[in-house]
Every structure is written in C-alpha cells, then in structure tokens.
Amino acid sequence: MYWLTDRVFFDGKWLVLCALALAPWREGLPLRVIGPGAGLVLMLGSFLQLADPLFLIVVGLLAGLVVKGIRHTEPALMLMAMGGLLMGVPVNGFTALMAAKAKFPAPLMAALFGSTAGVGCVSIAVSFSAFFHLAALLWRRLGGRYR
C-alpha cells in the first residue's frame, strides 16, 4: 500500500506542481509553439520511459508556461481541473493495476512507471493548479460579496 501511494499517486506530482508554479512567464510568449512542444516532449519522454526528476521538472516548466499564459476564466479552470483528473487518474490507475498484476518486480516497475509518469504527473498537477485557482476565484467572489 505504501508503494502504491508513494510511487503511483504522489511521486512526481508535487515536483511537477512546484515546477509549474515556478515557471517564468512574460507577455508575448509564443504559446502556439510552446503548447504543442510541451506535448511533444511529454509524449517523447513517455515513449522513452523517462521518469527522471529532471525530465519531470522540464515538462512541469513547459506546462507552467502554457498554464500561466492562458486567461484564468471559470470555464477554462473547470476544464483544466476535470480534464486533468479525467486523464491523470485513469493513467495512474492503469499503472497501479499493472504493478499489482505483475506482483511489483523492480525492473518492470521502473519501465512501467517511466512510461506513465510524465502524463500522469502533468495532468494531475495541472488539475491541482486549476483547483487552487478556482478556490482563489471563489474566495475573491465571496470576499467581495460579504464586505
């Protein structure tokens, strides 16, 4: 159970979330190039079975540029929150199911986790980010109403 919660659900998500939050951003970045580029790096890393923390930081920084570059409207944040969960949870569930079926042999787990780490970590980190922004939006609305 410890391995499942540590490796499948938490390993990498907080690292990607921190990289996402610390991503530098400025006006005028070419998001039409950065967005697909981030997806390409993510898919290439999944194909190469990369679960290295440095890879997750790079992907988190690229995702952070994209997330910070869009307008944080309520529909966009809800789409990011639910889309991240609807993509990340099944990917991580698949990883947990395959790990349990294989009886957790170490060489197989490294390859299995590497092939799903980037997609699962980024999608759940973006979802967490959207939930934080939605909470801040709600806080501002409630604060403005009751003053």
Side-chain angles (χ1 to χ4, degrees), residues 21-99:
L22 296 174
W25 186 80
R26 63 181 172 79
E27 203 63 42
L29 287 176
L31 292 180
R32 292 181 182 195
V33 175
I34 293 173
L40 182 65
V41 168
L42 184 61
M43 291 301 118
L44 184 64
S46 294
F47 178 73
L48 295 175
Q49 299 175 346
L50 296 177
D52 190 69
L54 186 60
F55 166 70
L56 294 176
I57 289 172
V58 167
V59 170
L61 288 172
L62 289 172
L65 290 174
V66 175
V67 168
K68 288 181 177 181
I70 62 171
R71 283 190 22 189
H72 290 147
T73 62
E74 191 173 343
L77 290 173
M78 286 192 283
L79 181 66
M80 283 173 30
M82 293 312 297
L85 288 180
L86 289 172
M87 186 170 155
V89 171
V91 165
N92 289 335
F94 168 76
T95 304
L97 180 66
M98 292 298 110

Coordinates of all heavy atoms in Angstrom, one line a residue, residues 21-99:
A21 N 4.5 26.0 -10.9 CA 4.3 27.3 -10.2 C 5.5 28.2 -10.4 O 5.3 29.4 -10.4 CB 4.1 27.0 -8.7
L22 N 6.7 27.6 -10.5 CA 7.9 28.5 -10.6 C 8.3 28.8 -12.0 O 9.3 29.4 -12.2 CB 9.1 27.8 -9.9 CG 8.9 27.6 -8.4 CD1 10.0 26.7 -7.8 CD2 8.8 28.9 -7.7
A23 N 7.5 28.3 -13.0 CA 7.8 28.6 -14.4 C 7.8 30.1 -14.6 O 6.9 30.8 -14.3 CB 6.8 27.9 -15.3
P24 N 8.9 30.6 -15.3 CA 8.9 32.0 -15.6 C 7.9 32.3 -16.7 O 7.7 31.5 -17.6 CB 10.3 32.3 -16.1 CG 10.8 30.9 -16.6 CD 10.0 29.9 -15.8
W25 N 7.3 33.5 -16.7 CA 6.4 33.8 -17.7 C 6.4 35.3 -18.0 O 6.6 36.1 -17.1 CB 4.9 33.5 -17.3 CG 4.0 33.7 -18.4 CD1 3.7 32.8 -19.4 CD2 3.1 34.8 -18.6 NE1 2.8 33.3 -20.3 CE2 2.4 34.5 -19.8 CE3 2.9 35.9 -17.9 CZ2 1.5 35.4 -20.3 CZ3 1.9 36.8 -18.4 CH2 1.2 36.6 -19.5
R26 N 6.3 35.7 -19.2 CA 6.2 37.1 -19.6 C 5.2 37.2 -20.8 O 4.9 36.2 -21.4 CB 7.6 37.6 -19.9 CG 8.2 37.0 -21.1 CD 9.6 37.6 -21.4 NE 10.3 36.8 -22.4 CZ 10.1 36.9 -23.7 NH1 9.2 37.8 -24.2 NH2 10.8 36.2 -24.5
E27 N 4.8 38.4 -21.0 CA 3.9 38.7 -22.0 C 4.5 38.4 -23.4 O 5.7 38.7 -23.6 CB 3.5 40.2 -21.9 CG 2.2 40.6 -22.5 CD 1.0 39.9 -21.9 OE1 0.9 39.8 -20.7 OE2 0.1 39.5 -22.7
G28 N 3.7 37.9 -24.3 CA 4.2 37.7 -25.7 C 4.9 36.4 -26.0 O 5.5 36.3 -27.0
L29 N 4.8 35.4 -25.1 CA 5.4 34.1 -25.4 C 4.6 33.4 -26.4 O 3.4 33.5 -26.4 CB 5.5 33.3 -24.1 CG 6.5 33.6 -23.1 CD1 6.4 32.8 -21.8 CD2 7.9 33.5 -23.6
P30 N 5.3 32.7 -27.3 CA 4.5 32.0 -28.4 C 3.9 30.7 -27.9 O 4.4 29.6 -28.1 CB 5.6 31.7 -29.5 CG 6.9 31.6 -28.7 CD 6.7 32.6 -27.5
L31 N 2.7 30.8 -27.3 CA 2.1 29.7 -26.7 C 1.6 28.7 -27.8 O 1.5 27.5 -27.5 CB 0.9 30.1 -25.9 CG 1.2 30.9 -24.6 CD1 0.0 31.3 -23.8 CD2 2.1 30.1 -23.7
R32 N 1.4 29.1 -29.0 CA 1.0 28.2 -30.1 C 2.2 27.3 -30.4 O 1.9 26.3 -31.1 CB 0.6 29.0 -31.3 CG -0.7 29.7 -31.0 CD -1.2 30.4 -32.2 NE -2.4 31.2 -31.9 CZ -3.2 31.7 -32.8 NH1 -3.0 31.6 -34.0 NH2 -4.3 32.3 -32.4
V33 N 3.4 27.6 -30.0 CA 4.5 26.8 -30.3 C 4.9 26.0 -29.0 O 5.2 24.8 -29.0 CB 5.7 27.6 -30.8 CG1 7.0 26.7 -30.9 CG2 5.4 28.3 -32.1
I34 N 4.8 26.7 -27.9 CA 5.2 26.1 -26.6 C 4.2 25.0 -26.2 O 4.7 23.9 -25.7 CB 5.3 27.2 -25.5 CG1 6.4 28.1 -25.8 CG2 5.5 26.5 -24.1 CD1 6.5 29.3 -24.9
G35 N 2.9 25.2 -26.4 CA 2.0 24.1 -26.0 C 2.2 22.8 -26.7 O 2.4 21.8 -26.1
P36 N 2.2 22.8 -28.1 CA 2.5 21.5 -28.8 C 3.9 21.0 -28.5 O 4.1 19.8 -28.4 CB 2.3 21.9 -30.2 CG 1.4 23.1 -30.3 CD 1.7 23.8 -29.0
G37 N 4.8 21.9 -28.3 CA 6.2 21.5 -27.9 C 6.2 20.8 -26.6 O 6.9 19.7 -26.5
A38 N 5.5 21.3 -25.6 CA 5.4 20.6 -24.3 C 4.8 19.2 -24.5 O 5.2 18.2 -23.9 CB 4.6 21.5 -23.4
G39 N 3.7 19.1 -25.3 CA 3.1 17.8 -25.5 C 4.0 16.9 -26.2 O 4.1 15.7 -25.9
L40 N 4.8 17.4 -27.2 CA 5.8 16.5 -27.9 C 6.9 16.0 -26.9 O 7.2 14.8 -27.0 CB 6.4 17.3 -29.0 CG 7.4 16.5 -29.9 CD1 6.7 15.4 -30.6 CD2 8.0 17.5 -30.9
V41 N 7.4 16.9 -26.1 CA 8.4 16.5 -25.1 C 7.8 15.4 -24.1 O 8.4 14.4 -23.8 CB 8.9 17.7 -24.3 CG1 9.7 17.3 -23.1 CG2 9.7 18.6 -25.2
L42 N 6.5 15.7 -23.7 CA 5.9 14.7 -22.8 C 5.7 13.4 -23.5 O 6.0 12.3 -22.9 CB 4.5 15.3 -22.4 CG 3.7 14.6 -21.4 CD1 4.5 14.4 -20.1 CD2 2.4 15.3 -21.1
M43 N 5.2 13.3 -24.7 CA 5.0 12.1 -25.4 C 6.3 11.4 -25.7 O 6.4 10.1 -25.6 CB 4.2 12.3 -26.7 CG 2.7 12.7 -26.4 SD 1.9 11.4 -25.4 CE 1.4 12.4 -24.0
L44 N 7.3 12.1 -26.1 CA 8.6 11.5 -26.3 C 9.2 10.9 -25.1 O 9.8 9.8 -25.1 CB 9.6 12.6 -26.9 CG 11.0 12.1 -27.3 CD1 10.8 11.1 -28.5 CD2 11.8 13.3 -27.8
G45 N 9.1 11.6 -24.0 CA 9.5 11.1 -22.7 C 8.8 9.9 -22.3 O 9.4 8.9 -21.7
S46 N 7.5 9.8 -22.6 CA 6.7 8.6 -22.2 C 7.2 7.4 -23.1 O 7.3 6.3 -22.7 CB 5.2 8.8 -22.5 OG 4.7 9.8 -21.5
F47 N 7.4 7.7 -24.4 CA 7.9 6.7 -25.3 C 9.3 6.1 -24.8 O 9.5 4.9 -24.9 CB 8.0 7.2 -26.7 CG 8.5 6.2 -27.7 CD1 7.7 5.2 -28.1 CD2 9.8 6.3 -28.2 CE1 8.2 4.2 -29.0 CE2 10.3 5.4 -29.1 CZ 9.5 4.4 -29.5
L48 N 10.1 7.0 -24.4 CA 11.5 6.6 -23.9 C 11.5 6.1 -22.4 O 12.5 5.8 -21.9 CB 12.5 7.8 -24.0 CG 12.7 8.3 -25.5 CD1 13.6 9.5 -25.5 CD2 13.4 7.1 -26.3
Q49 N 10.3 6.1 -21.8 CA 10.1 5.7 -20.4 C 10.9 6.5 -19.4 O 11.6 5.9 -18.6 CB 10.4 4.2 -20.3 CG 9.5 3.3 -21.2 CD 9.9 1.9 -21.2 OE1 11.0 1.5 -20.7 NE2 9.0 1.0 -21.7
L50 N 10.9 7.8 -19.6 CA 11.6 8.7 -18.7 C 10.8 9.0 -17.4 O 9.7 9.4 -17.5 CB 12.0 10.0 -19.4 CG 12.9 9.9 -20.5 CD1 13.1 11.2 -21.2 CD2 14.2 9.3 -20.1
A51 N 11.3 8.7 -16.3 CA 10.7 9.0 -15.0 C 11.7 9.8 -14.2 O 11.5 10.0 -13.0 CB 10.2 7.8 -14.2
D52 N 12.7 10.3 -14.8 CA 13.8 11.1 -14.1 C 13.2 12.4 -13.6 O 12.4 13.0 -14.3 CB 14.9 11.4 -15.1 CG 16.1 11.9 -14.4 OD1 16.8 11.2 -13.7 OD2 16.4 13.1 -14.6
P53 N 13.6 12.8 -12.4 CA 13.0 14.1 -11.8 C 13.4 15.3 -12.7 O 12.6 16.2 -12.8 CB 13.7 14.2 -10.5 CG 14.0 12.8 -10.1 CD 14.3 12.1 -11.3
L54 N 14.5 15.3 -13.4 CA 14.9 16.4 -14.3 C 13.9 16.5 -15.4 O 13.5 17.6 -15.8 CB 16.3 16.2 -14.8 CG 16.9 17.3 -15.6 CD1 16.9 18.6 -14.7 CD2 18.3 17.0 -16.0
F55 N 13.5 15.3 -16.0 CA 12.6 15.3 -17.1 C 11.2 15.9 -16.6 O 10.6 16.7 -17.3 CB 12.4 13.9 -17.6 CG 11.2 13.7 -18.5 CD1 11.1 14.3 -19.7 CD2 10.1 13.0 -18.0 CE1 10.0 14.2 -20.5 CE2 8.9 12.9 -18.8 CZ 8.9 13.4 -20.1
L56 N 10.8 15.5 -15.4 CA 9.5 16.0 -14.9 C 9.6 17.5 -14.6 O 8.6 18.2 -14.8 CB 9.2 15.2 -13.6 CG 8.9 13.7 -13.8 CD1 8.6 13.0 -12.4 CD2 7.7 13.5 -14.7
I57 N 10.8 18.0 -14.2 CA 10.9 19.4 -14.0 C 10.8 20.2 -15.3 O 10.1 21.2 -15.4 CB 12.2 19.7 -13.2 CG1 12.1 19.3 -11.8 CG2 12.5 21.2 -13.3 CD1 13.4 19.3 -11.0
V58 N 11.4 19.7 -16.3 CA 11.4 20.3 -17.6 C 10.0 20.3 -18.2 O 9.5 21.4 -18.6 CB 12.3 19.6 -18.6 CG1 12.1 20.1 -20.1 CG2 13.8 19.9 -18.3
V59 N 9.3 19.2 -18.0 CA 7.9 19.1 -18.5 C 7.0 20.0 -17.7 O 6.1 20.7 -18.2 CB 7.4 17.7 -18.5 CG1 5.9 17.6 -18.7 CG2 8.1 16.9 -19.5
G60 N 7.3 20.1 -16.4 CA 6.5 21.0 -15.5 C 6.7 22.5 -15.8 O 5.8 23.3 -15.8
L61 N 7.9 22.8 -16.2 CA 8.2 24.2 -16.6 C 7.5 24.6 -17.9 O 6.9 25.6 -18.0 CB 9.7 24.5 -16.7 CG 10.5 24.5 -15.4 CD1 12.0 24.5 -15.7 CD2 10.1 25.7 -14.5
L62 N 7.5 23.6 -18.8 CA 6.8 23.9 -20.1 C 5.3 24.0 -19.9 O 4.7 24.9 -20.5 CB 7.2 22.8 -21.1 CG 8.6 22.8 -21.7 CD1 8.8 21.6 -22.5 CD2 8.8 24.1 -22.5
A63 N 4.8 23.1 -19.1 CA 3.3 23.1 -18.8 C 3.0 24.4 -18.0 O 1.9 25.0 -18.2 CB 2.9 21.9 -18.0
G64 N 3.9 24.9 -17.1 CA 3.7 26.1 -16.4 C 3.6 27.3 -17.3 O 2.8 28.2 -17.1
L65 N 4.5 27.3 -18.4 CA 4.4 28.4 -19.3 C 3.0 28.5 -20.0 O 2.5 29.5 -20.2 CB 5.5 28.3 -20.4 CG 6.9 28.5 -19.9 CD1 7.9 28.2 -21.0 CD2 7.1 29.9 -19.5
V66 N 2.5 27.3 -20.3 CA 1.2 27.2 -21.0 C 0.1 27.6 -20.1 O -0.8 28.4 -20.4 CB 1.0 25.8 -21.6 CG1 -0.4 25.7 -22.2 CG2 2.0 25.5 -22.7
V67 N 0.1 27.1 -18.8 CA -1.0 27.3 -17.9 C -1.0 28.8 -17.5 O -2.0 29.4 -17.3 CB -0.8 26.4 -16.6 CG1 -1.7 26.8 -15.5 CG2 -1.1 25.0 -17.0
K68 N 0.2 29.4 -17.3 CA 0.3 30.8 -16.9 C -0.1 31.7 -18.1 O -0.5 32.9 -17.8 CB 1.7 31.1 -16.4 CG 1.9 30.6 -15.0 CD 3.3 31.0 -14.6 CE 3.6 30.4 -13.2 NZ 4.9 30.9 -12.7
G69 N 0.0 31.2 -19.3 CA -0.2 32.1 -20.4 C -1.7 32.2 -20.8 O -2.1 33.0 -21.6
I70 N -2.6 31.3 -20.3 CA -4.0 31.4 -20.7 C -4.7 32.2 -19.7 O -4.3 32.4 -18.5 CB -4.6 30.0 -20.8 CG1 -4.5 29.2 -19.4 CG2 -3.9 29.1 -21.8 CD1 -5.3 28.0 -19.4
R71 N -5.9 32.7 -20.1 CA -6.7 33.5 -19.2 C -7.4 32.6 -18.2 O -7.9 31.5 -18.6 CB -7.7 34.3 -19.9 CG -7.2 35.5 -20.6 CD -8.3 36.4 -21.1 NE -9.5 36.2 -20.4 CZ -10.7 36.7 -20.8 NH1 -10.7 37.4 -21.9 NH2 -11.8 36.4 -20.2
H72 N -7.3 32.9 -16.9 CA -7.9 32.0 -15.9 C -9.4 32.4 -15.7 O -9.8 33.0 -14.7 CB -7.2 32.2 -14.6 CG -5.8 31.5 -14.7 ND1 -4.8 32.0 -14.0 CD2 -5.4 30.5 -15.4 CE1 -3.7 31.3 -14.3 NE2 -4.1 30.3 -15.1
T73 N -10.2 32.0 -16.7 CA -11.7 32.2 -16.6 C -12.2 30.9 -15.9 O -11.6 29.9 -15.9 CB -12.3 32.4 -17.9 OG1 -12.1 31.2 -18.7 CG2 -11.8 33.6 -18.6
E74 N -13.4 31.1 -15.4 CA -14.0 29.9 -14.7 C -14.2 28.7 -15.6 O -13.9 27.6 -15.2 CB -15.3 30.4 -14.1 CG -15.9 29.3 -13.1 CD -17.1 29.9 -12.4 OE1 -17.4 31.1 -12.4 OE2 -17.9 29.1 -11.9
P75 N -14.7 28.9 -16.8 CA -14.8 27.7 -17.7 C -13.5 27.0 -18.0 O -13.4 25.8 -18.0 CB -15.5 28.2 -18.9 CG -16.2 29.4 -18.5 CD -15.4 30.0 -17.4
A76 N -12.5 27.8 -18.2 CA -11.1 27.3 -18.6 C -10.6 26.5 -17.4 O -10.0 25.4 -17.5 CB -10.2 28.4 -19.0
L77 N -10.7 27.1 -16.2 CA -10.2 26.4 -15.0 C -11.0 25.1 -14.7 O -10.4 24.1 -14.3 CB -10.3 27.4 -13.8 CG -9.4 28.5 -13.8 CD1 -9.7 29.5 -12.6 CD2 -7.9 28.1 -13.7
M78 N -12.3 25.1 -14.9 CA -13.1 23.9 -14.7 C -12.7 22.8 -15.7 O -12.5 21.6 -15.4 CB -14.6 24.2 -14.8 CG -15.1 24.9 -13.6 SD -16.9 24.9 -13.5 CE -17.3 26.2 -14.6
L79 N -12.4 23.2 -16.9 CA -11.9 22.3 -18.0 C -10.6 21.7 -17.6 O -10.3 20.5 -17.7 CB -11.9 23.0 -19.3 CG -11.4 22.1 -20.5 CD1 -12.5 21.0 -20.8 CD2 -11.2 23.0 -21.7
M80 N -9.7 22.6 -17.1 CA -8.4 22.1 -16.7 C -8.5 21.2 -15.5 O -7.8 20.1 -15.5 CB -7.4 23.3 -16.3 CG -6.9 24.0 -17.5 SD -6.0 25.5 -17.1 CE -5.3 25.3 -15.5
A81 N -9.3 21.5 -14.5 CA -9.4 20.7 -13.4 C -10.0 19.3 -13.7 O -9.4 18.3 -13.3 CB -10.3 21.4 -12.3
M82 N -11.1 19.3 -14.4 CA -11.7 18.0 -14.7 C -11.0 17.2 -15.8 O -10.9 16.0 -15.7 CB -13.2 18.2 -15.1 CG -14.1 18.7 -14.0 SD -13.9 17.8 -12.5 CE -14.4 16.2 -12.9
G83 N -10.4 17.9 -16.8 CA -9.6 17.2 -17.8 C -8.4 16.6 -17.2 O -8.0 15.5 -17.6
G84 N -7.7 17.3 -16.3 CA -6.6 16.7 -15.6 C -6.9 15.5 -14.8 O -6.2 14.5 -14.9
L85 N -8.0 15.5 -14.1 CA -8.4 14.4 -13.3 C -8.9 13.2 -14.2 O -8.6 12.1 -14.0 CB -9.5 14.7 -12.3 CG -9.1 15.6 -11.2 CD1 -10.2 15.9 -10.2 CD2 -8.0 14.9 -10.4
L86 N -9.6 13.6 -15.3 CA -10.2 12.5 -16.1 C -9.1 11.9 -17.0 O -9.3 10.7 -17.5 CB -11.2 13.1 -17.1 CG -12.5 13.5 -16.4 CD1 -13.5 14.2 -17.3 CD2 -13.2 12.2 -15.8
M87 N -7.9 12.5 -17.1 CA -6.8 11.9 -17.8 C -5.8 11.3 -16.8 O -5.3 10.2 -17.1 CB -6.1 12.9 -18.7 CG -5.1 12.4 -19.6 SD -4.6 13.7 -20.7 CE -3.0 13.1 -21.1
G88 N -5.5 12.0 -15.8 CA -4.4 11.5 -14.9 C -4.8 10.4 -14.0 O -4.0 9.5 -13.8
V89 N -6.0 10.3 -13.5 CA -6.4 9.3 -12.6 C -6.5 7.9 -13.3 O -6.0 6.9 -12.8 CB -7.8 9.6 -11.9 CG1 -8.3 8.4 -11.1 CG2 -7.5 10.8 -10.9
P90 N -7.1 7.8 -14.5 CA -7.0 6.5 -15.2 C -5.6 6.1 -15.6 O -5.3 4.9 -15.5 CB -7.8 6.8 -16.5 CG -8.7 7.9 -16.2 CD -8.0 8.7 -15.2
V91 N -4.7 7.0 -16.0 CA -3.4 6.7 -16.3 C -2.7 6.1 -15.1 O -2.0 5.1 -15.1 CB -2.6 7.9 -16.9 CG1 -1.1 7.6 -16.9 CG2 -3.1 8.2 -18.3
N92 N -2.8 6.8 -13.9 CA -2.2 6.3 -12.7 C -2.9 5.0 -12.2 O -2.2 4.1 -11.6 CB -2.2 7.4 -11.6 CG -1.3 8.5 -11.9 OD1 -0.3 8.3 -12.6 ND2 -1.6 9.6 -11.4
G93 N -4.2 4.9 -12.4 CA -4.9 3.6 -12.1 C -4.4 2.5 -12.9 O -4.2 1.4 -12.4
F94 N -4.1 2.7 -14.2 CA -3.6 1.7 -15.1 C -2.2 1.3 -14.6 O -1.9 0.1 -14.5 CB -3.5 2.2 -16.5 CG -2.7 1.3 -17.4 CD1 -3.2 0.2 -17.9 CD2 -1.4 1.7 -17.7 CE1 -2.4 -0.7 -18.7 CE2 -0.6 0.9 -18.6 CZ -1.1 -0.3 -19.1
T95 N -1.4 2.2 -14.2 CA -0.1 1.9 -13.6 C -0.2 1.1 -12.4 O 0.5 0.1 -12.2 CB 0.7 3.2 -13.3 OG1 0.8 4.0 -14.4 CG2 2.1 2.9 -12.8
A96 N -1.1 1.4 -11.5 CA -1.3 0.6 -10.2 C -1.8 -0.8 -10.6 O -1.3 -1.8 -9.9 CB -2.3 1.4 -9.3
L97 N -2.7 -0.9 -11.5 CA -3.3 -2.2 -11.9 C -2.2 -3.1 -12.5 O -2.1 -4.3 -12.1 CB -4.4 -2.0 -12.8 CG -5.1 -3.3 -13.3 CD1 -5.8 -4.0 -12.2 CD2 -6.1 -3.0 -14.4
M98 N -1.4 -2.5 -13.4 CA -0.3 -3.3 -14.0 C 0.8 -3.7 -12.9 O 1.3 -4.8 -13.0 CB 0.3 -2.6 -15.1 CG -0.6 -2.4 -16.3 SD -1.1 -4.0 -17.0 CE -2.8 -4.1 -16.6
A99 N 1.0 -2.8 -12.0 CA 2.0 -3.1 -11.0 C 1.5 -4.2 -10.1 O 2.3 -5.1 -9.7 CB 2.3 -1.9 -10.1

